[in-house]
Amino acid sequence: PRFASRLENNQLVQIPVDQVVVGDQLLVRMGEVVPVDGVLLSANATLDESALTGEPMPVTLQAGAGIRSGGVNVSAPLELRASMTAAQSTYAGIVSLAQAASQSRAPFARMADRYALALIPLTLLIAGLAWLLSGDPVRGLAVLVVATPCPLILAVPIAIMSGISRCAKRGILVKDGATLEALAEAQVLFLDKTGTLTTGHARVQSVESSGQLPREQLLYLAASLAQASPHPISAAIVEEAGKQALSLGAPEQVTEQPGAGLSGLVGGHRVTLGAHHFINANQPAQAWDAAMLRRMDYQDSSGSFIGIDGKMAGVVLFADPLRIESPNALRRLRQAGIRKVVMLTGDRLETAQMIG
């Protein structure tokens, strides 16, 4: 982000991000990147921090929580108090790392420079001999043109800068040129699971019913209501309904409680969608609810519960599926010389084994 919205005397003033000072009160609109590290002043906020952590599920924070720059606000506009300047914030650290990498010199580049220094006097000697033996100065000039050290000097740094730049465009930060050069000789590769082997974005795994309504009707009601929210989870539910070719209804009287859920009318039914406590407010969990919560905890999955006319009706379970290109990528890595691939994850053993 190059600009930030600062609150001054109840008015918003857009300022360059490098002018933000500690203590400034800032507003971050939906879809904007958090410009600096700070403390959340709003009651709650939902952030997509996948660029920072690789975790696919949005993070819901409460007032007083610390917010890192680089996350994307996917909920209502939030207010925060800057705790660091832009130069000290998390996102600036990532940028400076990429800048330092582009300016670094790999061992091979230094070796090319040394060879270039030796090549210059050798080239002059050969050019002089060509002129002397042939008696034609054009022969000496031809040697100088062909043996210029410029390609040798320029080829390596250009290749390294191009490699680092292409990596950065794909979200890969390379520490320096020496690291990129060493990567060519790597034989063991450690991969994170979430967002690397998997898509890093929530997808509907299944729709479970408590027995009140069939699963297809639950998905219809939930997706119809979810159309009214820009939240990534809502978008995933609507996308699943589209895959099943469901013709959705128009939601009415929709209200949203950030970090909790949605409520509205769909086809004459009062539909609520969100966290368990939002659906079952002030009521103890029933046997079905408790079993589903245990299942979600065991599978290390997340879900949005569905309430119909004040009763718990079902839940939409989400998963982070395997990337389609992951198997082929691993095969190509092994062909490139990687002899062992190891997956690292904080998920439960069962989830890790399934992806592995």
Side-chain angles (χ1 to χ4, degrees):
R2 300 184 182 275
F3 297 94
S5 299
R6 182 167 63 192
L7 287 165
E8 297 180 1
N9 300 321
N10 294 324
Q11 292 185 343
L12 276 180
V13 180
Q14 192 176 61
I15 60 172
V17 71
D18 55 7
Q19 293 183 12
V20 175
V21 297
V22 175
D24 277 353
Q25 189 170 339
L26 307 176
L27 180 75
V28 183
R29 300 178 181 88
M30 181 184 294
E32 289 184 344
V33 178
V34 178
V36 297
D37 292 6
V39 177
L40 181 62
L41 299 178
S42 301
N44 47 56
T46 303
L47 299 176
D48 176 3
E49 293 189 333
S50 57
L52 299 175
T53 65
E55 294 302 321
M57 302 301 294
V59 179
T60 299
L61 303 173
Q62 305 300 322
I67 295 181
R68 295 177 293 180
S69 60
V72 180
N73 181 22
V74 294
S75 59
L78 65 87
E79 293 183 15
L80 65 89
R81 179 179 292 109
S83 59
M84 291 187 181
T85 63
Q88 300 169 329
S89 293
T90 304
Y91 203 61
I94 297 175
V95 173
S96 63
L97 184 66
Q99 291 173 340
S102 66
Q103 297 168 3
S104 65
R105 294 174 63 77
F108 192 81
R110 294 193 291 270
M111 184 176 69
D113 290 345
R114 289 195 298 271
Y115 278 119
L117 290 174
L119 182 64
I120 292 172
L122 180 62
T123 301
L124 292 175
L125 177 61
I126 296 174
L129 288 173
W131 185 359
L132 181 64
L133 295 175
S134 66
D136 185 359
V138 175
R139 293 291 181 90
L141 182 61
V143 172
L144 293 176
V145 171
V146 172
T148 174
C150 290
L152 179 62
I153 297 172
L154 296 177
V156 175
I158 287 176
I160 289 174
M161 288 183 65
S162 298
I164 290 174
S165 176
R166 289 190 64 183
C167 286
K169 287 180 179 178
R170 298 185 179 205
I172 304 168
L173 295 177
V174 180
K175 185 179 179 181
D176 51 35
T179 304
L180 190 66
E181 183 180 324
L183 189 62
E185 300 179 1
Q187 295 185 354
V188 180
L189 178 65
F190 292 89
L191 291 173
D192 180 40
K193 179 179 74 68
T194 305
T196 303
L197 292 171
T198 62
T199 63
H201 299 285
R203 296 289 185 271
V204 173
Q205 182 182 39
S206 64
V207 178
E208 304 296 335
S209 174
S210 65
Q212 182 179 343
L213 294 173
R215 296 177 181 180
E216 185 174 299
Q217 188 174 358
L218 279 176
L219 179 60
Y220 162 78
L221 292 171
S224 297
L225 178 62
Q227 293 178 108
S229 172
H231 197 285
I233 292 299
S234 297
I237 296 174
V238 174
E239 181 183 354
E240 180 63 21
K243 290 179 180 178
Q244 298 192 21
L246 297 180
S247 181
L248 302 181
E252 301 175 350
Q253 302 178 20
V254 178
T255 58
E256 182 169 3
Q257 184 176 328
L262 289 171
S263 178
L265 290 176
V266 178
H269 294 283
R270 169 60 63 179
V271 182
T272 49
L273 177 68
H276 182 268
H277 66 82
F278 181 71
I279 310 298
N280 247 24
N282 302 322
Q283 295 181 22
Q286 302 299 315
W288 183 87
D289 304 26
M292 191 55 60
L293 289 169
R294 285 195 300 270
R295 172 180 167 182
M296 291 166 61
D297 181 61
Y298 179 76
Q299 295 180 345
D300 197 30
S301 61
S302 60
S304 287
F305 287 87
I306 307 168
I308 307 295
D309 298 327
K311 296 181 179 179
M312 182 67 71
V315 63
V316 182
L317 296 178
F318 300 98
D320 184 15
L322 189 71
R323 286 180 183 268
I324 296 175
E325 64 271 24
S326 288
N328 184 51
L330 292 182
R331 282 193 292 269
R332 293 180 63 182
L333 284 167
R334 289 192 174 95
Q335 292 169 2
I338 300 295
R339 61 178 176 81
K340 186 176 183 181
V341 181
V342 180
M343 183 183 74
L344 306 176
T345 178
D347 281 350
R348 293 180 180 275
L349 178 62
E350 292 78 12
T351 305
Q353 287 177 332
M354 179 180 67
I355 297 297

